[in-house]
Amino acid sequence: RGNLDDPSVRWKEGKPDYTIADLHYFLGKTTNHPPGSLELFVENFIKTWEMEATHKEFYQWNTVDQCEYEACSNGGKVFNSEEAPWVGNYNWLLSSCEPDAWDSTKETFESSHGKFRYAFPEGFPFEVLQVFSGPPKVSFTWR
C-alpha cells in the first residue's frame, strides 16, 4: 500500500492501519497470483490507490496521473480528476446503482466512507480475480 511511514504525508484522519484487513485478505483469498503477473500488479496497485484515495489529499496521490485521472464503474458516469477525488470512491463506484439502493447524489465523501466503515468494521479485504486490460486503462473483476 505504499510507504505508510512517509513523514511528508498529510493524512486526512491519521495514518491508516490495514493489519486486520490484511489478515482477512490472507484468510479468505481464493487466488495466488504469480510473482510479476499483471494480476498481482493490479491487485497491489488498487490497494495502494484505495489507500491514497481514502486517506490522502489528491495532490499527494502517486498512483495516478493527476491531469489524466478518470474513474468509472460498470459503464456508469466517467468521473474526471476534478470530480472523482471529491465525491469519494464509493460514490463513483456505486453511481450506476438505482437510487433506492445507493444514491450518490445524497452522499458526501465523508458520509459514504462512514457507511462503509460501519458495514465493514474490520476493513475490506480486496482481491483481484481476473484482469481484462492493463494500464493505463485497467479493467478487472474482483471480490
Side-chain angles (χ1 to χ4, degrees):
R1 288 197 172 87
N3 183 0
L4 297 178
D5 295 321
D6 181 346
S8 69
V9 173
R10 298 186 60 173
W11 300 107
K12 289 181 179 180
E13 297 178 358
K15 183 175 89 169
D17 182 354
Y18 287 96
T19 305
I20 301 299
D22 288 345
L23 172 65
H24 287 280
Y25 163 77
F26 285 113
L27 290 174
K29 72 179 188 157
T30 61
T31 307
N32 288 311
H33 301 303
S37 67
L38 181 58
E39 289 78 11
L40 185 60
F41 169 82
V42 169
E43 187 168 87
N44 289 332
F45 171 83
I46 295 296
K47 287 179 181 182
T48 302
W49 165 84
E50 180 280 328
M51 178 276 297
E52 290 185 336
T54 301
H55 300 286
K56 290 179 167 184
E57 297 297 337
F58 185 59
Y59 75 92
Q60 291 190 308
W61 293 16
N62 297 309
T63 52
V64 300
D65 177 334
Q66 295 179 359
C67 295
E68 300 295 323
Y69 179 62
E70 292 181 336
C72 177
S73 175
N74 298 323
K77 177 183 175 182
V78 176
F79 291 84
N80 65 31
S81 62
E82 293 185 17
E83 300 171 292
W86 316 117
V87 300
N89 325 3
Y90 304 120
N91 280 328
W92 69 254
L93 278 166
L94 298 171
S95 66
S96 61
C97 289
E98 293 296 324
D100 61 330
W102 183 270
D103 190 344
S104 294
T105 65
K106 293 183 179 176
E107 299 294 337
T108 65
F109 179 99
E110 292 79 11
S111 69
S112 64
H113 278 76
K115 288 179 178 180
F116 271 75
R117 285 185 187 121
Y118 179 78
F120 300 99
E122 296 180 338
F124 192 85
F126 175 89
E127 178 183 14
V128 166
L129 300 176
Q130 187 175 7
V131 176
F132 302 110
S133 66
K137 293 190 178 208
V138 180
S139 178
F140 58 93
T141 59
W142 59 282
R143 67 164 205 91

